[in-house]
Amino acid sequence: MDRWARFNFQPVLPIGTDGTRVTGGRAHIELSRTAATEGMVLLKNENNTLPLASGKRVALFGKACVDYVKGGGGSGDVTTAYVRSLLEGMERKEQEGKTSLLPALGKFYRENVKEQYARGTAPGMITEPELPKELLQQAKAFTDTAIITICRFSGEGWDRIVASEKKKKSKNGGTNDTDMIERGKNLFERGDFYLSDEEQAMVDTVREAFSKVIVVLNVGGMVDTSWFKDKKEISAVLMAWQGGIEGGLAMADILCGDANPSGKLTDTFADSLEAYPSTETFHESEEYVEYTEDIYVGYRYFDTIPGAAKKINYPFGFGLSYTKFEITPTKFIKQENQVLVQVVVTNIGTVAGKEVVQLYVSAPQGKLGKPMKELKAFAKTRLLQAGEAQTLVLSVAVSSLASYDDSGKISKSAYVLEQGMYEFYVGNSSAELQMLTDRLIIAEDRVVLQLEEHCAPFMLKKRMLADGTYEELESYTGVPTDLSYEKEAVGAYTPAVPAQARRKMPWEGQEKGPDWRLIDVAEGKVTMDTFLEQLSVEELVGLLGGQPGTGVANTFGMGNNKTYGIPNVMTADGPAGLRIAGECGVNTTAWPCATLLACTFNEALVEEVGQAGAKEVKENNIGVWLTPAINIHRSPLCGRNFEYYSEDPLVAGKMAAAMIRGIQSQQIAASMKHFACNNKETNRTNSDSRVSERALREIYLKGFELAVKEADPWTIMTSYNIINGHRSSENRELLTGILRGEWGFRGMVTTDWWTNGEHYKEIKAGNDVKMACGYTDRVMAAYEKGEITKAEIISCAKRVLEMILKLQ
Ligand code: BGC
């Protein structure tokens, strides 16, 4: 096939090796299920309640055993041919003789859920029905073991609420999904972090009636765990997350022992929503969010701030297995720029399993103050048979132990290694660690990297210190930026740049076409610069806005100038899978939600998922996959946490890098998003994330930095929100200063879809394409007035074309 023929002509050509379609195919669905089993986390397993003994009778309670939530809503949702619930999973196991179920219970929940769905609602957003007494009696007579399933749903454009929010009206109907917010308020009296009254009643009834209760959580983010942690009757708990298309089968695999769980939490599960420092002010304003907890996010907060550790129910990195492992550190090698720690992991239990070794470093408090410890490396074993051992080597770059000094306590705007002792810990959770006897001593304060101030705050009054007190920030001015100028740009819906006729080439019937077409650049016949010289300023600007959709794509394209042979390259969402609108009739594979994938701690597996997902993207003639999404889980309340990986930037960055490698191995562009600080959905297009430069660099930008340096994503999507008074998409310090200047990013940047930014200012900042449409007229007006130069326009256009050249 000719280069870019897929994008130009949309031929429906399967790419499977034997000529079959890969999209939504068996092999991908099986990979999705395997990944799901590997990322589910076993939180509790008293007296080896799990796995269920072969043939064990169980009673399934909770409408969630049918009302299965495969993933969240919005752009992180996909159209699948079907989904498999836990009930279906257990029925399969019953057919295989591995368990035995009470049919009347399944029938009750199936009918109830069907009836509630018929009234029109989203999965997970229906009421827990009251359990009929006779059914409970039948179940009690049938077995002593109950399985309770609880599910949750959240999505793009709305956040999870807290009880005090119930009465408030959402102010910004335009970008907030008020319908879902209202539904949530009606279903969950205390906010959906906690059980609803109806769920609590069901749980209490089941707890009283059965001696063994197993809980399965089908959720996309942090939820309350205090209702089972210390409750004796609840003997086992599986954090099953939202497991994609066949998540219910994966849950059953684990419950029945066909798979041994090896997932580890990528977030800290605290004893209440209020225990997270971000909760108190999360909903304070729709206009801004103040990141006053600074770098103390997740376990960095709970492990460091006095008194907070006792609020942890399940620590970061935690997850049980059906077997046991011994982790023995065997070598500590100090090299000039890195430290290598070798460990031997031995399976000392009776069944095969995998273990995740985590390496944390505790830096001296020094002048800057530090988290008690930080994850610096991790590695997962292969499947180890009982008695088998594996040696793993974890490496830590010495420079990664430095902290960013944004206030000049040691050296302003520099990463500094403070003098003192750096202690190393290894283990299988942030709470189960052994300290190594070897340490790293830094004799005197050392500047590792001198940078410049970028994206500094001026509306953040204070930030938390390691002892839990706050320091006032001198940079506070109290004068907000005026962002009113772009009001006129808001509200466009369809791409503004006219499509060129798709079939008819514009030069047909003319005497002569252009000297060079893009294919000539691809084939080395002409340089990019010479090629670009042919285009008028207006034609160049046309390349800097989104283009009309073709084929099955519903998030529009980029490129699209037939005169010069520039294809209209389509985009599609991620991260849940290839997202194609239902009416197109193309079902795709729903991968487990991103948080589950991260909980696998298995980079090779995540890479495989990226590769498989990208094949579906390519088969459907799309060139840019809008994934991975890697914002930090700052608060359990963010409605899109299911699309993101972790509270920890190392995990987020490593998982993103693996995903990007997988995707781009198929010559499909990954679009890492949302850059940056999109940690809240409410009024996301106009909310100002006020955050210190240190927290930006050490927490919120760090994952992006790691992935840029490790995996070279071909595109990055800026976020809707404002960062310290400047929109991400118009933020030159962020895009040109940090992303390109400091990290050496070579790819292309797009806005998020329909941003409120002013197009010419986005171009000047280094945001190459305004999606999903550009405003050529406004950019040309700015050009005519001398506000923007041709050179600035060319730089962006060149990066768009260089991205297209990488696609095949
Ligand atoms: C979302 C992005 C998504 C884009 C295209 C936006 O609303 O924030 O994550 O990729 O739409 O669907």
Side-chain angles (χ1 to χ4, degrees), residues 99 103 168 194 396 572:
T99 187
K168 272 203 207 162
Y194 295 105
V396 182

Side-chain angles (χ1 to χ4, degrees), residues 283-340:
H283 284 295
E284 179 181 284
S285 163
E286 291 209 358
E287 315 302 322
Y288 61 83
V289 191
E290 296 193 337
Y291 290 39
T292 45
E293 73 287 351
D294 208 44
I295 55 166
Y296 300 101
V297 178
Y299 69 87
R300 288 169 170 78
Y301 169 82
F302 290 102
D303 288 352
T304 314
I305 304 303
K310 63 173 190 293
K311 298 184 194 156
I312 301 175
N313 271 1
Y314 294 100
F316 175 87
F318 173 82
L320 300 169
S321 164
Y322 295 152
T323 187
K324 286 224 159 342
F325 296 92
E326 199 173 67
I327 300 173
T328 315
T330 45
K331 270 188 201 156
F332 184 93
I333 304 166
K334 275 184 236 175
Q335 295 175 342
E336 199 188 328
N337 297 324
Q338 62 173 357
V339 172
L340 302 177

Side-chain angles (χ1 to χ4, degrees), residues 582-641:
E583 52 268 34
C584 299
V586 179
N587 296 315
T588 63
T589 306
W591 304 100
C593 73
T595 311
L596 182 155
L597 289 178
C599 288
T600 66
F601 277 82
N602 185 338
E603 293 161 85
L605 181 62
V606 172
E607 189 169 332
E608 222 183 307
V609 168
Q611 197 176 60
K615 284 187 179 161
E616 300 200 4
V617 172
K618 175 178 279 193
E619 191 166 72
N620 289 282
N621 304 322
I622 288 159
V624 182
W625 196 18
L626 308 175
T627 195
I630 78 159
N631 298 86
I632 290 292
H633 292 165
R634 171 178 178 260
S635 162
L637 294 170
C638 173
R640 287 184 94 171
N641 276 352

Side-chain angles (χ1 to χ4, degrees), residues 43 150-152 160 190-196 199-200 203 215-231 234 237-239 241 268-276 311-314 636-637:
L43 293 181
I150 298 287
C151 70
R152 286 291 180 270
R160 300 168 68 188
R190 288 169 293 278
D192 78 344
F193 184 86
Y194 295 105
L195 294 182
S196 68
E199 286 169 337
Q200 188 66 61
V203 168
V215 171
V216 176
L217 296 168
N218 169 207
V219 302
M222 290 162 262
V223 286
D224 185 30
T225 50
S226 290
W227 62 274
F228 55 73
K229 179 170 175 272
D230 297 318
K231 295 282 180 318
I234 300 183
V237 180
L238 179 68
M239 170 54 68
W241 300 114
T268 308
F269 278 62
D271 63 3
S272 70
L273 178 59
E274 294 66 34
Y276 295 88
K311 298 184 194 156
I312 301 175
N313 271 1
Y314 294 100
L637 294 170

Side-chain angles (χ1 to χ4, degrees), residues 168-400:
K168 272 203 207 162
K169 269 253 162 278
S170 177
K171 275 188 251 152
N172 191 304
T175 54
N176 297 344
D177 190 337
T178 40
D179 178 40
M180 292 311 278
I181 296 170
E182 290 311 313
R183 281 189 208 195
K185 286 182 185 172
N186 290 335
L187 284 171
F188 305 102
E189 300 77 8
R190 288 169 293 278
D192 78 344
F193 184 86
Y194 295 105
L195 294 182
S196 68
D197 286 349
E198 291 81 4
E199 286 169 337
Q200 188 66 61
M202 181 270 291
V203 168
D204 290 344
T205 311
V206 173
R207 269 204 301 139
E208 276 158 32
F210 295 85
S211 59
K212 277 190 204 149
V213 178
I214 297 158
V215 171
V216 176
L217 296 168
N218 169 207
V219 302
M222 290 162 262
V223 286
D224 185 30
T225 50
S226 290
W227 62 274
F228 55 73
K229 179 170 175 272
D230 297 318
K231 295 282 180 318
K232 255 203 329 308
E233 316 83 272
I234 300 183
S235 42
V237 180
L238 179 68
M239 170 54 68
W241 300 114
Q242 295 168 340
I245 186 162
E246 292 197 342
L249 304 188
M251 295 172 196
D253 285 339
I254 290 182
L255 297 179
C256 295
D258 289 340
N260 186 355
S262 64
K264 306 281 176 183
L265 295 178
T266 57
D267 294 308
T268 308
F269 278 62
D271 63 3
S272 70
L273 178 59
E274 294 66 34
Y276 295 88
S278 51
T279 303
E280 198 184 337
T281 57
F282 188 88
H283 284 295
E284 179 181 284
S285 163
E286 291 209 358
E287 315 302 322
Y288 61 83
V289 191
E290 296 193 337
Y291 290 39
T292 45
E293 73 287 351
D294 208 44
I295 55 166
Y296 300 101
V297 178
Y299 69 87
R300 288 169 170 78
Y301 169 82
F302 290 102
D303 288 352
T304 314
I305 304 303
K310 63 173 190 293
K311 298 184 194 156
I312 301 175
N313 271 1
Y314 294 100
F316 175 87
F318 173 82
L320 300 169
S321 164
Y322 295 152
T323 187
K324 286 224 159 342
F325 296 92
E326 199 173 67
I327 300 173
T328 315
T330 45
K331 270 188 201 156
F332 184 93
I333 304 166
K334 275 184 236 175
Q335 295 175 342
E336 199 188 328
N337 297 324
Q338 62 173 357
V339 172
L340 302 177
V341 174
Q342 180 181 292
V343 295
V344 175
V345 185
T346 313
N347 182 347
I348 54 169
T350 52
V351 292
K354 296 183 184 178
E355 180 60 302
V356 177
V357 179
Q358 303 160 38
L359 192 157
Y360 296 81
V361 178
S362 173
Q365 281 299 314
K367 297 197 190 82
L368 298 179
K370 312 279 161 59
M372 191 58 91
K373 58 180 180 287
E374 293 183 284
L375 183 72
K376 292 295 171 190
F378 60 83
K380 190 164 195 172
T381 65
R382 60 173 184 270
L383 187 73
L384 295 177
Q385 300 302 321
E388 201 185 346
Q390 184 180 355
T391 302
L392 298 172
V393 178
L394 296 99
S395 70
V396 182
V398 174
S399 60
S400 76

Side-chain angles (χ1 to χ4, degrees), residues 1 5-13 550-553 568-571 578 615-624 668:
M1 200 185 351
R6 275 195 182 276
F7 313 127
N8 279 330
F9 306 110
Q10 309 276 317
V12 185
L13 300 176
T550 56
V552 294
N568 186 6
V569 174
M570 288 299 114
T571 64
L578 163 62
K615 284 187 179 161
E616 300 200 4
V617 172
K618 175 178 279 193
E619 191 166 72
N620 289 282
N621 304 322
I622 288 159
V624 182
I668 292 297

Side-chain angles (χ1 to χ4, degrees), residues 403-405 411-416 447-454 693 697 702 705 709 737-738 741-743:
S403 308
Y404 187 77
D405 181 4
S411 176
K412 171 103 173 85
S413 308
Y415 273 102
V416 291
V447 171
V448 171
L449 185 62
Q450 182 62 54
L451 300 167
E452 271 172 52
E453 179 180 290
H454 282 316
E693 224 192 319
R697 288 175 185 273
K702 189 53 85 185
E705 178 182 357
K709 291 182 173 166
I738 296 177
E742 292 179 12
W743 305 347

